[in-house]
Amino acid sequence: MSMNKKAIEYLDFLEVSDSFFYENFKDFIAYANGMNKYLRDEEYAELKEATETDLKIALKDKKTTINIIKNFFYKISPNIIKQIDYDVENENIVFLPKEEMGDVNSRVTVDGDNYRIEILETNKLDAAFLLVREYAYLFAGDLLDAKGFEDGLKKTYVEMVMSLTEFALAKHLSANPSLRRDSINYIYKKLYGTIYDVNETYLTLMYLGFLLEDKSEEEIKATLGDDEMVNHLDKIITEKKPCNTYIDTLGTMMALKAINDNEDAFDLVNNVYVEASDGLLNEIIAQFPLDLNEQAGVEEITKYIRNSK
């Protein structure tokens, strides 16, 4: 297969599989690169340090993780506690080792009317964040059924609800001196990933552009760095893997602005859950519009870091 034909087939794949991304990818990439560019050295250093720091506190057992999220969800809606107790009693929450989880840290598997929440077993505070993410997904998943919206847009707003819940959990844990630092580090790792994980999508599109321009392999390698990177990007295009890191980036940044703008994080999450479980995507979009202003995004990150000190 010629390089150019491979590129055209991948473009066709993107257009069919993710029209939301296909129509907007230039804006999404400009936004991600702009945040990378405008983030100040001080904030970058804090986020980078968090990514290189392991979470310190070992949680006593799985029951401790469950109790952490129950105490949190009590602030959102006491009704959620009943659901968690039901799930514990019916063994719907399971903690699994890395070899059983594969490439994901958490997921919900559905079998008919039954579901199972599977969480990577870490014995650290990140397990609590992963667990609240999946409970948020149980509330927000109905948004995926909303009619008249592109799938990528719906997935972005589901991620917004899940990220919003993580930010609210961090606010809840900020009152606990022993867990506060790990909680902040978890969120800082998340923010770092929000900005820099999308680089793979950027490099994939850059490689795609080189193929469409019929650049030689030598030219491409000279620009992108080395054989390993080019082989990695070529595999994405050949195997037609989606470019979906933008979902995490946009969803996280909308949630960050929402948490910065609202003093009562718990009431905010409860209201979003009610709207999401009713499938009211229009109302959620009206409340939390997608804003691709990279300088404003950087300001939200700076504001969050300053407020978390």
Side-chain angles (χ1 to χ4, degrees), residues 53-168:
T53 304
D54 292 332
L55 300 182
K56 300 282 195 298
I57 305 299
L59 301 180
K60 184 179 175 184
D61 51 28
K62 298 176 183 66
K63 188 177 179 182
T64 303
T65 304
I66 302 289
N67 284 337
I68 286 172
I69 73 151
K70 283 175 69 174
N71 288 335
F72 163 67
F73 275 125
Y74 189 80
K75 293 182 175 179
I76 307 295
S77 170
N79 287 332
I80 301 175
I81 309 303
K82 297 175 188 173
Q83 186 63 46
I84 296 171
D85 286 339
Y86 174 86
D87 289 337
V88 170
E89 187 179 333
N90 289 275
E91 299 181 344
N92 291 340
I93 302 171
V94 292
F95 296 86
L96 299 172
K98 180 69 177 170
E99 54 267 26
E100 290 188 49
M101 290 299 292
D103 293 335
V104 298
N105 293 329
S106 64
R107 63 187 167 219
V108 173
T109 59
V110 179
D111 180 14
D113 291 335
N114 300 316
Y115 64 84
R116 191 165 91 146
I117 302 173
E118 299 175 344
I119 302 294
L120 177 65
E121 190 171 34
T122 66
N123 301 315
K124 298 285 180 70
L125 193 60
D126 52 351
F129 280 96
L130 295 171
L131 193 47
V132 298
R133 269 186 70 81
E134 295 309 329
Y135 270 106
Y137 177 79
L138 292 175
F139 286 98
D142 288 333
L143 294 177
L144 298 174
D145 297 325
K147 304 298 182 193
F149 299 94
E150 292 163 307
D151 285 347
L153 180 71
K154 292 190 281 190
K155 289 175 182 175
T156 297
Y157 275 92
V158 169
E159 176 58 41
M160 189 277 288
V161 177
M162 294 166 76
S163 293
L164 187 62
T165 308
E166 289 179 291
F167 285 123

Side-chain angles (χ1 to χ4, degrees), residues 182-202:
D182 274 0
S183 171
I184 290 172
N185 273 351
Y186 177 88
I187 294 294
Y188 283 11
K189 287 174 197 272
K190 177 180 175 66
L191 291 175
Y192 184 88
T194 291
I195 299 171
Y196 297 103
D197 285 354
V198 82
N199 279 353
E200 181 177 87
T201 296
Y202 173 68

Side-chain angles (χ1 to χ4, degrees), residues 150-302:
E150 292 163 307
D151 285 347
L153 180 71
K154 292 190 281 190
K155 289 175 182 175
T156 297
Y157 275 92
V158 169
E159 176 58 41
M160 189 277 288
V161 177
M162 294 166 76
S163 293
L164 187 62
T165 308
E166 289 179 291
F167 285 123
L169 175 60
K171 189 158 192 174
H172 166 71
L173 293 172
S174 67
N176 185 319
S178 62
L179 298 178
R180 175 181 168 80
R181 189 67 248 173
D182 274 0
S183 171
I184 290 172
N185 273 351
Y186 177 88
I187 294 294
Y188 283 11
K189 287 174 197 272
K190 177 180 175 66
L191 291 175
Y192 184 88
T194 291
I195 299 171
Y196 297 103
D197 285 354
V198 82
N199 279 353
E200 181 177 87
T201 296
Y202 173 68
L203 291 171
T204 301
L205 294 173
M206 183 184 282
Y207 177 59
L208 182 66
F210 290 157
L211 296 183
L212 291 168
E213 292 166 12
D214 283 324
K215 288 192 181 291
S216 69
E217 284 189 42
E218 291 71 28
E219 286 178 288
I220 293 172
K221 286 174 184 175
T223 306
L224 294 178
D226 55 29
D227 287 356
E228 186 180 353
M229 174 56 74
V230 172
N231 290 338
H232 173 68
L233 298 174
D234 194 70
K235 190 175 180 184
I236 290 173
I237 285 175
T238 304
E239 296 181 1
K240 296 184 174 63
K241 294 182 177 177
C243 288
N244 53 14
T245 49
Y246 76 90
I247 293 170
D248 290 342
T249 300
L250 302 182
T252 297
M253 291 307 296
M254 281 193 290
L256 179 65
K257 177 170 173 49
I259 211 76
N260 280 340
D261 288 350
N262 289 270
E263 288 188 15
D264 191 337
F266 312 115
D267 186 56
L268 173 66
V269 171
N270 182 45
N271 290 337
V272 170
Y273 280 3
V274 170
E275 291 172 345
S277 58
D278 287 339
L280 301 176
L281 184 53
N282 260 331
E283 293 190 19
I284 293 176
I285 290 174
Q287 280 178 270
F288 310 103
L290 187 55
D291 179 16
L292 297 179
N293 180 328
E294 57 266 31
Q295 286 183 303
V298 166
E299 286 170 14
E300 295 297 343
I301 290 173
T302 299

